[in-house]
Amino acid sequence: MDRPALADFLRRRRELLRPEDVGLGSGQRRRTPGLRREEVAALAGMSADYYTRLEQQRGPQPSEQMVAAIARALRCSLDERDHLFRLAGHNAPARVHRADHVEPAILRVLDRLEDTPAIVVNDLGETLVENRLGAALLGTTTGLPGNERYQPWRWFMTAYERAKYAPEQHDRLARAQVASLRAAVGAAGPSDRRAAELIADLEANSEEFRVLWSLHEVAGRWEDHKTFVHPELGRITVDCQVLHTTSQTQALLLFTAPAGSEDAQKLELLGVVGQQTFTVGPRS
């Protein structure tokens, strides 16, 4: 870990960004250029004190997951992300297959979706980043530990994930979860350790998953019609549009409803209601 170079890189990247670059209002005139440290920390999902210590060359070595979050917050290019990983004492993630780094172009689109719930997920169903309304609709799922970060694991191993969706859609969505996971595994190949560990966990602990996995159904993420069950607003039926990255390992999901409909009005209310806490239940 090169503390001086890491601190200098973080500071210079932060100073290059404007609030509007990351979806923040410009507000009052600032004394110094760029984002504030606490703003970068909030975007990365860490404490302001932790991030400040990194810039002051006195913080502990950040984990790979934390470095990836900082790279997203600072809107790093792939080259800049790789450099950041090396400064922090880690090997840069491979570019060929799955990566937690979200391309700046995708983040710019997400930042401009102020009135539309949206999230970015990888091919294993891990939410990499979400906008405010996306978290309000689905409950925030970024930064979860272990296999819980993946939606297929939460779907088959917990009660709280399914509770977000209308019961009549559970069977169809369960098959879609498995078919999408099968497609991801086929594309990445047998050396994909993260996928192998996820599947082994599910096969060992979920009879439903074992049955569906044995069907060998394969399908990527597609445009869909879903009904969510929100804790305060009740049922909200939306169209889910999917925009894939070139590598097909990440997708931007947008949730919309016809203008003037009751569902569209409920989506607007999400901004008022704010993010809800979806109860985390025990393994099923």
Side-chain angles (χ1 to χ4, degrees), residues 10 14 36-56 58-60 66 70:
L10 293 177
R14 176 171 61 82
R36 300 185 178 97
R37 287 171 175 166
E38 57 267 25
E39 290 172 334
V40 174
L43 290 168
M46 65 178 65
S47 72
D49 178 68
Y50 183 92
Y51 179 81
T52 297
R53 283 185 288 158
L54 289 178
E55 281 203 8
Q56 294 176 345
R58 57 187 182 89
M66 191 64 74
I70 294 173

Side-chain angles (χ1 to χ4, degrees), residues 9-85:
F9 179 81
L10 293 177
R11 184 177 63 255
R12 291 184 183 279
R13 279 297 309 164
R14 176 171 61 82
E15 291 173 349
L16 288 174
L17 289 173
R18 299 170 300 173
E20 51 267 34
D21 293 332
V22 296
L24 300 175
S26 57
Q28 297 179 349
R29 187 173 181 179
R30 302 184 176 219
R31 295 180 179 178
T32 58
L35 299 181
R36 300 185 178 97
R37 287 171 175 166
E38 57 267 25
E39 290 172 334
V40 174
L43 290 168
M46 65 178 65
S47 72
D49 178 68
Y50 183 92
Y51 179 81
T52 297
R53 283 185 288 158
L54 289 178
E55 281 203 8
Q56 294 176 345
Q57 304 182 35
R58 57 187 182 89
Q61 182 184 32
S63 66
E64 293 184 12
Q65 185 176 2
M66 191 64 74
V67 175
I70 294 173
R72 289 196 294 269
L74 293 175
R75 302 307 193 253
C76 292
S77 67
L78 276 176
D79 289 335
E80 291 166 338
R81 179 209 65 175
D82 292 353
H83 181 62
L84 179 59
F85 265 82

Side-chain angles (χ1 to χ4, degrees), residues 154-176:
R154 298 194 304 273
W155 183 271
F156 291 102
M157 303 291 281
T158 75
Y160 75 88
E161 184 68 25
R162 296 193 186 208
K164 301 176 185 178
Y165 299 83
E168 67 271 16
Q169 296 186 347
H170 285 186
D171 289 344
R172 177 178 64 83
L173 293 176
R175 296 183 70 163

Side-chain angles (χ1 to χ4, degrees), residues 82-124:
D82 292 353
H83 181 62
L84 179 59
F85 265 82
R86 287 188 284 268
L87 292 178
H90 298 293
N91 292 324
R95 298 193 186 192
V96 177
H97 297 303
R98 180 182 311 110
D100 295 334
H101 182 72
V102 181
E103 296 177 6
I106 293 294
L107 289 173
R108 286 196 294 271
V109 174
L110 187 70
D111 291 337
R112 284 158 175 75
L113 296 173
E114 297 181 357
D115 59 351
T116 302
I119 62 175
V120 177
V121 299
N122 66 18
D123 55 344
L124 293 183

Side-chain angles (χ1 to χ4, degrees), residues 208-262:
E208 181 185 7
F209 177 83
R210 286 196 295 272
V211 171
L212 293 177
W213 188 252
S214 68
L215 298 178
H216 283 264
E217 294 179 334
V218 182
R221 291 185 178 273
W222 63 89
E223 295 185 1
D224 199 2
H225 200 61
K226 296 180 179 180
T227 299
F228 295 103
V229 182
H230 190 271
E232 291 198 13
L233 300 178
R235 292 168 67 98
I236 308 176
T237 299
V238 300
D239 293 313
C240 176
Q241 282 80 39
V242 182
L243 301 177
H244 288 281
T245 58
T246 303
S247 66
Q248 299 291 305
T249 59
Q250 293 180 5
L252 172 63
L253 310 184
L254 302 89
F255 305 98
T256 64
S261 67
E262 180 180 354

